Amino acid sequence: MNPYASPSTRKQWYHIVCALYRNRALLNVPATARFCERAIAEACSSPGWMVDTVAVTPSQLRLLVLAPPGLARDSIICAIRKPASNAILRSGAIPPGHRVWGDKAWCFGIRTEAAVNSIRNHLQAISASGSKRRRPATSVEWPSAVTR
């Protein structure tokens, strides 16, 4: 599907970044992250949007979305945050009544295909590195002191 085909079918690419409240690592559980991804994909499919790539890090949510042009950035961010908040609360990652999202969220409109490909590759790299969780450092046994 060519989003730049005709004015009646034209759509705009958006890169969205949402940070969790106080950079809490709520999405470090893989099941919570997948649950959040599915909730966002279902919510975005109803208004005719297409979620192309999702990168979930423990404290951030990053998306590449194809949506109709001219939408207000606040409405795009709210449309992403609401289903993600519900998914995080239903998973039990935080108690009800606590804040999920921080004050900062970014939504960038992307105009060129090269920029879309670059962001898509970056998000896929984040997703690939996120699946390889860092293991805690193992303790190193130092040789005992040599007695003279």
Side-chain angles (χ1 to χ4, degrees):
M1 176 172 117
N2 185 0
Y4 308 104
S6 69
S8 62
T9 60
R10 185 171 295 161
K11 295 202 175 190
Q12 173 75 40
W13 286 100
Y14 294 98
H15 178 206
I16 303 160
V17 181
C18 299
L20 293 169
Y21 182 65
R22 293 188 179 175
N23 288 326
R24 288 189 213 157
L26 298 177
L27 299 172
N28 59 355
V29 177
T32 304
R34 285 191 303 272
F35 194 49
C36 190
E37 287 177 20
R38 277 196 309 265
I40 290 171
E42 290 171 7
C44 289
S45 65
S46 61
W49 300 7
M50 183 187 80
V51 178
D52 184 67
T53 309
V54 178
V56 179
T57 62
S59 63
Q60 283 188 346
L61 184 65
R62 297 169 175 257
L63 298 111
L64 184 61
V65 176
L66 186 63
L71 293 173
R73 292 180 181 187
D74 291 337
S75 66
I76 295 171
I77 291 170
C78 287
I80 298 298
R81 280 182 167 183
K82 187 170 183 171
S85 300
N86 292 337
I88 291 169
L89 289 170
R90 278 184 284 164
S91 72
I94 63 170
H98 284 75
R99 288 183 66 178
V100 176
W101 301 107
D103 295 333
K104 296 182 181 178
W106 298 271
C107 179
F108 304 102
I110 305 167
R111 297 188 181 257
T112 65
E113 200 165 331
V116 169
N117 290 332
S118 175
I119 291 170
R120 182 182 294 127
N121 292 338
H122 178 67
L123 295 181
Q124 288 171 349
I126 289 173
S127 294
S129 67
S131 64
K132 300 172 186 170
R133 305 266 181 226
R134 290 185 180 173
R135 295 182 183 158
T138 57
S139 61
V140 178
E141 293 184 25
W142 295 96
S144 59
V146 178
T147 57
R148 292 183 197 213

